[in-house]
Amino acid sequence: MLALFGFGSLLALVAFHTFLAGVATRFFRIQLSTSWGSVVYTLVLTPLLLLVSTIVFTGALGVGTGIDVGSSTILLALLVALPLALGVAIDYLYVPSPDEYELPDTR
């Protein structure tokens, strides 16, 4: 039963990290005026955010308890690299570009 809870909580953490990566990518695309700036910030700061979140959730809160993924490299790939790739892909491929939205004039 503990392994089932650990597997479910690990999948929930992957989904949460994917959401965080997508939101961070969108935030950088909206806030930064250059296209390379948003790419650099996404590739540098988002994995750092996901790494800190991984340490907090798996260490302090015990997410994934009872699951042996083999090594810490596989765990980092599962909780940092995969959500980063999915979040960026969702933002760039499925969400319209920030330039396509028309905002009303606020005077």
Side-chain angles (χ1 to χ4, degrees):
M1 189 68 186
L2 182 63
L4 183 62
F5 174 74
F7 183 72
S9 63
L10 196 63
L11 282 179
L13 186 58
V14 169
F16 177 68
H17 277 184
T18 302
F19 173 75
L20 274 180
V23 169
T25 303
R26 173 55 61 164
F27 176 76
F28 294 138
R29 284 180 70 189
I30 290 173
Q31 292 296 322
L32 299 174
S33 60
T34 63
S35 61
W36 282 104
S38 63
V39 171
V40 170
Y41 273 77
T42 298
L43 292 178
V44 172
L45 292 181
T46 306
L48 186 63
L49 172 70
L50 296 179
L51 182 64
V52 168
S53 175
T54 298
I55 291 170
V56 168
F57 279 110
T58 58
L61 300 177
V63 171
T65 304
I67 300 294
D68 183 25
V69 293
S71 70
S72 59
T73 306
I74 295 172
L75 183 67
L76 285 178
L78 181 67
L79 292 177
V80 175
L82 178 66
L84 178 66
L86 287 175
V88 170
I90 288 170
D91 185 53
Y92 275 96
L93 298 176
Y94 296 111
V95 180
S97 175
D99 298 332
E100 294 180 14
Y101 290 107
E102 292 189 28
L103 300 175
D105 289 335
T106 56
R107 291 186 186 195

